[in-house]
Amino acid sequence: MSMDHEAVIGLEIHVQLNCETKMFCRCPSRPGDEPNRNTCPICLWLPGNLPRFNREALEQAILASLALDCEIQKESAFDQKVYYYPDLPKGYQLSQFHMPLAMNGHLNVTDANGARKTIRIRKVHMEEDVARLVHENEGRTPVSLVDFNRAGMPLVEIVTEPDLRNSGDAMEFLRCLIRQIRYSGSSECSMEQGTMRVDANVSIRPAGSDQFNTKVEIKNMNSIRSVGDAIAYEIERQKECLVDGEPIVLHTRLWDPEKRVTSPMRGKFEGPCVPDPSVPRIVIESEYLDEVRTRLPEMPEQKAQRFVKHYGLTYEDAATMCSERSVSEYFEAVADCGVSSRLAAQWIAGQVLPLLKECDETVSTSRLTPDRLAGLLKMLERDEINSSAAKEILGKLRGSDAPLKVIVESGGFRQVSEADQLEAVVDRVLEENPSAVENFRKGASKALGFLMGQAMQATRGKANPRLLKEIMTRKLG
């Protein structure tokens, strides 16, 4: 970005709520089912069928809003957002345009230079999802199909103020938002699986100005990385337009992840929003809101501070353990088994999470349950196995249901820590390598490494290295 201009970026994020049924009917809210299996006259939007509001969707939407520090509005209402598209054949979408559920939230993010920034959230409103278009070929004929399974899925749309200034901050904001909402339990927020979609509004203006220039909306981004790349590309494209004297036109563009460019999609169209007469206005009493608020779990920042105080972790380690709610609960379960909390954090961050990611597993689905990992780390703490053996055992614990002791004994992983055995090994190694002993005693310190290697080889790598070195050093005089 030129020193003379800055980007102005706002995000609109659609998040699918974790509900058993759709927003206005009792059809399952279950992504991945066979196309058009989960439909009824209401979510097919057939004439004469009235929507029936899902109370569970309201509760999940409130939890998501509270996780974003929003103010829940006492009254909210649905409007008909009028437009026609093949994925919306009834001609309007039920959405809360005039009276949203929640307003005035914020998230704090840390930029690339370590500075803290507050990104304001203008509003969170509920709406029904539209159907999904599937474009295929039948022979050589292109066809477009409509899957109504997605029609009526419960969503919240989160709209930020235009507080973001670069692609990096936008990506960090999204990571923070995903973490907050996942903690609340109200959504999975998976861009890859389609339970979260992001649109970015980008414009540029003279640096330091408070004016808002014509913006361009970007769609079709299926990962946080894509959001960052698309915004970065669009900033440079608009900058080149200014240099070439081309006007910035209000319109929507698509991100092409293969060509890594945005391309024109359509002109920006804002249909009218009129109050819907079929869904009653939502009135939230303070007692009900207080009851829902009690279901909001301990959030990441609060939990990280507790981990620092209670478990003695550094803030960086605590933040890593709190990156996902499931990871934080896994860490606590391991630490509460009596393992050193720092050792548990070190192994979860450095060994367990990379291993599970490589195997496409999570701490919730893996055989590496907290008690099995705790058992392994206790053996490491007691010097019954060394760290190399522990890493090998970790992989075997993930790959089988065999008990820890069976894996250790059948694999011969137990460490040799008996002083008598190690004394005998050292005596034999020193006797068989007199020249190395003489070199060490003349000041060649490298000879100690050679002798240690011979002793470790004699025990097939099972010797306790700390105890072995103590004995070796003492006997060399």
Side-chain angles (χ1 to χ4, degrees):
M1 193 68 191
S2 159
M3 291 294 291
D4 299 326
H5 293 85
E6 66 179 7
V8 179
I9 304 164
L11 301 178
E12 297 173 0
I13 304 131
H14 288 86
V15 170
Q16 183 177 312
L17 299 171
N18 284 336
C19 295
E20 292 293 323
T21 61
K22 295 184 179 180
M23 179 76 88
F24 295 112
C25 67
R26 296 296 173 260
C27 288
S29 171
R30 198 165 52 216
D33 277 3
E34 181 183 355
N36 293 315
R37 176 179 178 182
N38 304 323
T39 61
C40 72
I42 293 177
C43 60
L44 286 172
W45 301 315
L46 300 180
N49 291 280
L50 291 176
R52 292 177 296 177
F53 184 58
N54 181 353
R55 186 183 176 93
E56 184 187 16
L58 174 63
E59 294 174 359
Q60 296 288 27
I62 291 175
L63 285 172
S65 301
L66 292 174
L68 303 177
D69 209 22
C70 289
E71 300 168 0
I72 306 300
Q73 303 302 293
K74 185 174 178 59
E75 292 189 39
S76 62
F78 282 89
D79 304 290
Q80 295 181 0
K81 184 179 177 182
V82 180
Y83 69 97
Y84 177 79
Y85 203 65
D87 58 10
L88 187 64
K90 71 173 174 177
Y92 65 86
Q93 180 185 23
L94 287 175
S95 179
Q96 295 182 312
F97 182 79
H98 295 294
M99 298 180 66
L101 173 70
M103 300 181 71
N104 303 325
H106 76 276
L107 286 179
N108 294 320
V109 301
T110 303
D111 70 12
N113 297 318
R116 297 283 280 175
K117 295 181 177 177
T118 297
I119 308 301
R120 295 171 296 161
I121 294 169
R122 181 184 302 168
K123 64 176 182 176
V124 177
H125 63 258
M126 294 184 288
E127 65 182 23
E128 61 179 344
D129 208 343
V130 298
R132 188 171 74 94
L133 294 179
V134 181
H135 305 287
E136 297 180 344
N137 285 322
E138 288 185 359
R140 295 183 178 180
T141 304
V143 297
S144 293
L145 308 173
V146 185
D147 178 7
F148 281 88
N149 279 355
R150 201 178 71 177
M153 288 285 202
L155 302 178
V156 288
E157 181 175 351
I158 301 157
V159 181
T160 76
E161 297 289 355
D163 291 343
L164 297 156
R165 295 290 174 266
N166 58 64
S167 59
D169 288 354
M171 294 168 65
E172 181 59 23
F173 173 80
L174 289 175
R175 294 189 190 98
C176 186
L177 180 138
I178 289 172
R179 182 167 60 246
Q180 292 293 113
I181 294 183
R182 283 182 176 169
Y183 256 74
S184 76
S186 53
S187 175
E188 301 308 313
C189 289
S190 170
M191 293 186 71
E192 292 76 12
Q193 296 177 6
T195 55
M196 176 171 144
R197 304 192 294 273
V198 178
D199 300 333
N201 292 293
V202 181
S203 64
I204 58 176
R205 68 185 180 188
S209 168
D210 59 359
Q211 69 186 61
F212 292 103
N213 293 328
T214 303
K215 65 185 179 183
V216 169
E217 183 183 45
I218 314 171
K219 291 181 175 293
N220 197 40
M221 299 168 287
N222 62 3
S223 68
I224 292 177
R225 180 76 260 171
S226 291
V227 173
D229 290 345
I231 290 174
Y233 174 85
E234 185 58 25
I235 292 172
E236 291 304 312
R237 189 193 70 82
Q238 292 189 23
K239 180 181 168 185
E240 291 178 8
C241 286
L242 287 183
V243 170
D244 296 340
E246 297 178 10
I248 306 295
V249 180
L250 178 67
H251 69 298
T252 300
R253 300 178 72 86
L254 284 178
W255 169 247
D256 186 328
E258 294 184 359
K259 297 179 180 177
R260 301 178 65 77
V261 299
T262 62
S263 57
M265 177 185 179
R266 64 187 180 210
K268 184 73 174 175
F269 172 74
E270 294 287 355
C273 286
V274 297
D276 177 79
S278 60
V279 182
R281 182 170 292 195
I282 298 168
V283 178
I284 298 177
E285 301 292 346
S286 57
E287 293 80 6
Y288 171 73
L289 180 58
D290 290 342
E291 193 274 326
V292 175
R293 198 187 298 275
T294 62
R295 299 179 211 165
L296 194 69
E298 185 180 30
M299 299 304 284
E301 179 62 26
Q302 182 184 5
K303 183 173 283 190
Q305 296 292 349
R306 180 169 64 81
F307 281 8
V308 170
K309 184 176 181 180
H310 182 72
Y311 292 106
L313 300 183
T314 64
Y315 181 78
E316 289 73 19
D317 286 346
T320 300
M321 290 301 99
C322 294
S323 59
E324 293 279 351
R325 183 175 170 182
S326 58
V327 173
S328 69
E329 291 169 350
Y330 184 82
F331 162 77
E332 284 207 273
V334 175
D336 289 348
C337 287
V339 178
S340 158
S341 54
R342 291 189 177 185
L343 181 66
Q346 176 189 344
W347 269 73
I348 291 171
Q351 303 297 328
V352 174
L353 295 181
L355 175 63
L356 297 184
K357 183 178 181 181
E358 181 182 331
C359 301
D360 197 24
E361 295 179 359
T362 68
V363 293
S364 303
T365 60
S366 171
R367 293 186 180 95
L368 273 174
T369 56
D371 61 319
R372 279 160 70 85
L373 178 62
L376 176 66
L377 297 183
K378 284 180 181 177
M379 293 191 75
L380 187 61
E381 286 182 312
R382 293 193 297 260
D383 280 338
E384 294 177 26
I385 54 175
N386 58 36
S387 59
S388 296
K391 292 174 185 175
E392 192 171 345
I393 296 168
L394 186 75
K396 294 182 180 298
L397 283 172
R398 188 212 67 78
S400 82
D401 292 319
L404 172 63
K405 286 187 177 180
V406 172
I407 293 175
V408 171
E409 300 305 333
S410 62
F413 290 111
R414 193 172 290 279
Q415 186 168 250
V416 178
S417 295
E418 288 77 12
D420 291 347
Q421 290 187 46
L422 294 181
E423 295 258 1
V425 170
V426 170
D427 287 342
R428 188 167 67 252
V429 167
L430 297 183
E431 183 179 347
E432 293 172 352
N433 297 278
S435 59
V437 173
E438 184 178 353
N439 289 338
F440 177 81
R441 287 171 176 163
K442 287 181 178 178
S445 57
K446 290 183 179 178
L448 177 60
F450 169 79
L451 293 168
M452 282 289 294
Q454 294 299 304
M456 288 298 289
Q457 187 175 359
T459 60
R460 295 194 297 174
K462 298 177 185 175
N464 181 326
R466 178 185 55 78
L467 185 56
L468 183 67
K469 187 174 183 179
E470 287 178 5
I471 295 171
M472 182 74 76
T473 303
R474 174 166 50 80
K475 286 184 176 291
L476 283 169

